[in-house]
Amino acid sequence: AFPSLLMMLCLLCSSPVSYSTWPFFSFNFPLGQMTDLIYTEKELVQSLKEYIQAEESKLAAVKSWANKLDVLTRASTSDPEVYLAHPVNAYKLMKRLNTEWSELESLVLQDPSDGFISNMTVHRQYFPDEEDEKGAAKALMRLQDTYKLDSESFSKGKLPGMHHNAVLTVDDCYDMGKTAYNEADYYHAVLWMQQALRQMDAGEEHVVSKADVLDYLSYSVYQMGDLPRAIELTRRLVAIDSSHQRAGGNLRYFENLLSKQLKELNQEVQEPATEEPIQLGTYKRPKDYLPEREIYEGLCRGEGVKMTSERRSRLYCRYHDGNRNPRLLLQPMKEEDEWDSPHIVRYLNALSDSEIEKIKELAKPRLARATVRDPKTGVLTTANYRVSKSAWLEGEEDPVIERVNQRIEDITGLTTQTAELLQIANYGVGGQYEPHFDFSRKDEPDAFKTLGTGNRVATFLNYMSDVEAGGATVFPDFGAAIYPKKGTAVFWYNLFRSGEGDYRTRHAACPVLVGCKWVSNKWIHERGQEFRRPCGLTEVD
C-alpha cells in the first residue's frame, strides 16, 4: 500500500477556464491541516513505544517465570521421589500448580496492545483516505511538470528553497508510477517506474520485485509509442521471469507490431534499444485542456516574464492616502506599481502579523475544499483545476475582519457593502488555481445573478504568508509574475469603466513547491460603484 503519511511529508475564485472532466485528483490536505497530522503521528509513535515497552515488560516477566521454573523442574525431575519426600517441596508443587501457573496464564493472556489499538481507532477517522493519497501523488507530479524537476532529483528531495531532504525509496517511486498508470497517465508512469528501476539497480533495498517494475514500465513505454524500448524492457522481464503470465505474449505482440510497422515503411529491422535509463525529455507530455499551459508553467518558473527595463522605468512607488481619506492621512499606504497596463499595484503593510494570525485562527475550523462558480448556473461547485481549501468570513464576526474590510474600502475608494465576503484560501504543497478570470464573461451572464450585485469589478488580494518556492500569481496574457510577500496586497480592476471585461486579467496561482501559502481575497462588485468609479465613454476607458 502507498504510505500516505510519507507521501504527505514529502510534499495538500471564480469561473473556470475549462469545463473538462480531466481526471485529476485533488490534494485536500493543505499544510494548515497537515501540521495536525504531524502531531497525531507523533502521539501514535509515543503510544507505539508504550505498547512495545509493555510487551517487553510482559516478556521479561514471562522469561523470569520460565527461568525459575526451569531450575525447579530440573531439580524435581532428577529424582522425583526424593524431591517430594520433603514436605515443603510437596506443598510448593501444589501451590505452583494451583495458584502460580494460573497467575502465569493470566500474564500470558494479557494484551498490552489494547491502549495502542484504542488510540489508533480514535485518530483513524482523521486520517487521509485513498483519494487524498492519490491527490498527494498527483501533487508531486504537478510540481514535477510545472517546475521541470527530474524524478531523480525529486526522489532525493533536492528542491529549491529546501534546507533538508526527504527522500523517496524504490517502493515510493514504484507506488508513484502505479498511481499514474492506474490513471492511464503513462507519461508519469514511465518517469517514476524508471526512477524505481534506477534506484533498484543502484542496490537500494526494496520490497517490490524488479519484474513488477519492468512489467509496468514496458507497457507504459509502449503506450508512449516507443516500441523498440518496450521490446528491450520486455526482454529484460522475460530474462528475469520466463514464466511471467504477460511478458511472453507482450513480447511477441510488440515484436510483430514493430515488424509490421517497419515493413509498411519499407525499413529494415532495427537494432534493439539500449538499456540506458530513460531521461526526462525523452517523451513529450501529452497536451491537455489548457491552451496556455506552457506559457503559464513557464511564468511559474520565472521564464518568459516580460518585465523589461523600459517597462520597469515606467513603474513608480508612492504614498497613497485614498484621495485624502481621513483614516489614511496620518499613515498613508505605501503603493508600488507591479504592472503598467493593465494597472496592477501592490500595497505594503496591508495586514499586520497580529491581524493575519487572527484571520487564520477564525478560518482554520471552517476550511473546506475551494469551489468555483459554475458559469451556466452560477452555483458554487468544486473543480479539479483548483486545489486549495477556503473559508468565508463576515465583517460582523470579529473587529479584525471589519477593520480589514474598511481598510480595503479606504484604499480602493470603492464600497465593500456589495462585495463578497472575505475569502481565506490555504494552498498546501502542490496547491494551485489554473488560469481563470475573476469576472463573468458574456457567455455566462448568470454567474453572479444570485448575488444581485453585478459583475466583479475589481480584485483585492492579500498575501498572508511568504512562500519558500513557487506560489506566484501569474498573468499569462501579458507575462507578469507577482510573488507572495507576507503582509502585502495586490489590486487590479477586472472590468473597464465601460463595464466590459478586461480579458488581459486572466491569471493563475502557481503550484506551491515548498511552503504553505495563505491569501485572503475580496471581490468587489459593480453595484454601489456608480459614483465612485463612473462609467467611461469607450470600451477601453
Side-chain angles (χ1 to χ4, degrees):
F2 192 0
S4 305
L5 290 176
L6 175 59
M7 282 307 307
M8 288 190 294
L9 289 171
C10 294
L11 303 168
L12 194 120
C13 276
S14 164
S15 25
V17 57
S18 164
Y19 317 122
S20 165
T21 53
W22 190 261
F24 276 140
F25 284 92
S26 299
F27 190 18
N28 291 332
F29 276 86
L31 292 191
Q33 292 184 335
M34 286 175 64
T35 51
D36 295 336
L37 294 178
I38 292 290
Y39 290 110
T40 296
E41 188 175 36
K42 181 180 180 181
E43 182 180 334
L44 289 176
V45 169
Q46 181 59 37
S47 181
L48 181 61
K49 287 181 177 180
E50 291 170 359
Y51 160 65
I52 293 171
Q53 187 176 5
E55 285 282 16
E56 289 175 342
S57 299
K58 170 184 170 181
L59 186 59
V62 173
K63 283 182 177 179
S64 177
W65 273 94
N67 292 335
K68 180 177 72 172
L69 293 170
D70 185 46
V71 172
L72 288 170
T73 53
R74 278 204 303 267
S76 64
T77 56
S78 62
D79 192 341
E81 292 185 4
V82 172
Y83 179 81
L84 291 174
H86 197 298
V88 171
N89 286 340
Y91 163 73
K92 293 184 72 172
L93 175 62
M94 296 300 105
K95 179 185 176 184
R96 282 199 305 275
L97 293 175
N98 180 56
T99 305
E100 296 180 3
W101 275 97
S102 295
E103 293 175 0
L104 179 59
E105 181 183 22
S106 298
L107 176 63
V108 172
L109 290 175
Q110 286 179 4
D111 189 356
S113 68
D114 289 346
F116 175 68
I117 296 300
S118 176
N119 206 5
M120 278 286 293
T121 302
V122 169
H123 289 296
R124 186 177 283 115
Q125 60 183 316
Y126 303 110
F127 281 10
D129 57 22
E130 183 179 357
E131 184 171 335
D132 293 314
E133 183 179 303
K134 291 178 181 178
K138 297 296 285 185
L140 292 188
M141 296 175 204
R142 187 184 309 126
L143 294 175
Q144 182 179 23
D145 293 338
T146 304
Y147 298 104
K148 288 189 175 180
L149 302 168
D150 65 272
S151 301
E152 185 171 14
S153 296
F154 218 131
S155 71
K156 293 178 181 178
K158 295 181 178 178
L159 303 180
M162 287 301 295
H163 303 296
H164 55 85
N165 295 338
V167 300
L168 293 172
T169 65
V170 170
D171 298 295
D172 291 332
C173 294
Y174 170 78
D175 286 328
M176 287 282 294
K178 192 172 179 181
T179 297
Y181 181 92
N182 290 337
E183 293 295 307
D185 179 3
Y186 301 109
Y187 172 77
H188 289 106
V190 168
L191 294 179
W192 286 102
M193 288 298 176
Q194 174 62 60
Q195 183 56 32
L197 187 62
R198 181 186 286 114
Q199 292 178 213
M200 191 178 283
D201 289 341
E204 193 175 298
E205 292 184 3
H206 52 87
V207 175
V208 63
S209 70
K210 194 169 189 176
D212 283 341
V213 174
L214 287 169
D215 187 21
Y216 281 104
L217 180 58
S218 59
Y219 189 77
S220 297
V221 166
Y222 156 68
Q223 287 289 344
M224 294 303 295
D226 190 347
L227 272 173
R229 175 80 72 169
I231 291 170
E232 180 270 323
L233 290 166
T234 309
R235 286 175 179 171
R236 290 168 66 181
L237 172 55
V238 171
I240 293 173
D241 184 1
S242 59
S243 62
H244 193 280
Q245 61 178 350
R246 289 182 300 277
N250 283 351
L251 181 58
R252 288 189 294 275
Y253 176 76
F254 294 158
E255 289 176 336
N256 290 337
L257 187 59
L258 180 61
S259 176
K260 182 181 178 181
Q261 289 180 359
L262 293 174
K263 188 175 181 181
E264 290 175 352
L265 295 172
N266 217 12
Q267 296 180 1
E268 296 182 0
V269 177
Q270 296 178 346
E271 290 294 320
T274 66
E275 294 189 8
E276 289 295 317
I278 301 167
Q279 303 295 333
L280 183 68
T282 300
Y283 307 122
K284 288 187 177 180
R285 181 162 46 127
K287 298 287 185 182
D288 66 9
Y289 56 88
L290 192 62
E292 68 263 67
R293 171 73 65 188
E294 292 184 8
I295 297 173
Y296 154 57
E297 293 184 349
L299 288 171
C300 290
R301 295 189 298 270
E303 301 170 4
V305 178
K306 298 177 181 178
M307 179 53 71
T308 62
S309 56
E310 181 183 355
R311 182 180 295 274
R312 194 183 303 277
S313 68
R314 298 197 295 268
L315 305 182
Y316 299 93
C317 59
R318 65 192 71 82
Y319 283 105
H320 175 74
D321 62 9
N323 195 25
R324 306 292 291 173
N325 187 293
R327 280 180 288 270
L328 295 179
L329 280 177
L330 295 180
Q331 190 174 359
M333 298 296 298
K334 296 177 180 178
E335 183 183 77
E336 297 178 349
D337 291 331
E338 285 282 351
W339 204 260
D340 53 352
S341 181
H343 194 205
I344 303 174
V345 295
R346 186 193 295 260
Y347 295 102
L348 279 59
N349 304 319
L351 289 176
S352 67
D353 288 348
S354 61
E355 288 173 332
I356 289 172
E357 291 309 309
K358 185 60 180 180
I359 293 172
K360 289 164 64 175
E361 177 189 327
L362 293 169
K364 280 182 180 180
R366 309 185 200 178
L367 286 173
R369 175 73 188 278
T371 57
V372 297
R373 195 172 296 278
D374 188 293
K376 297 179 180 178
T377 65
V379 176
L380 292 174
T381 183
T382 59
N384 296 318
Y385 44 80
R386 185 179 192 186
V387 184
S388 65
K389 287 204 169 185
S390 64
W392 300 81
L393 301 179
E394 297 188 40
E396 294 78 8
E397 294 184 49
D398 192 276
V400 167
I401 307 302
E402 187 64 46
R403 188 162 65 245
V404 169
N405 288 340
Q406 182 63 59
R407 187 177 301 143
I408 293 172
E409 185 168 310
D410 294 340
I411 292 172
T412 62
L414 303 174
T415 181
T416 58
Q417 295 301 310
T418 55
E420 295 173 47
L421 301 181
L422 190 67
Q423 187 208 51
I424 315 305
N426 179 210
Y427 297 82
V429 173
Q432 64 162 5
Y433 191 177
E434 291 180 354
H436 61 280
F437 298 101
D438 278 355
F439 65 91
S440 65
R441 276 86 67 210
K442 291 181 179 179
D443 58 346
E444 44 181 25
D446 295 335
F448 301 111
K449 185 176 181 179
T450 56
L451 298 179
T453 53
N455 211 342
R456 286 174 170 170
V457 67
T459 296
F460 197 97
L461 171 62
N462 290 295
Y463 292 116
M464 302 199 302
S465 66
D466 294 314
V467 179
E468 286 86 342
T473 303
V474 298
F475 293 78
D477 184 81
F478 49 90
I482 299 174
Y483 296 94
K485 185 177 180 183
K486 185 178 180 181
T488 69
V490 292
F491 173 76
W492 68 86
Y493 282 102
N494 298 304
L495 307 179
F496 293 111
R497 286 184 177 272
S498 63
E500 294 293 320
D502 187 345
Y503 283 77
R504 298 173 299 172
T505 61
R506 184 174 170 87
H507 61 286
C510 294
V512 175
L513 178 57
V514 179
C516 179
K517 179 181 175 183
W518 285 87
V519 299
S520 59
N521 296 290
K522 194 69 173 178
W523 287 295
I524 302 171
H525 284 246
E526 291 177 293
R527 183 71 55 82
Q529 319 303 341
E530 293 83 357
F531 297 102
R532 293 173 181 250
R533 191 187 189 231
C535 294
L537 298 178
T538 65
E539 183 175 316
V540 296
D541 280 346

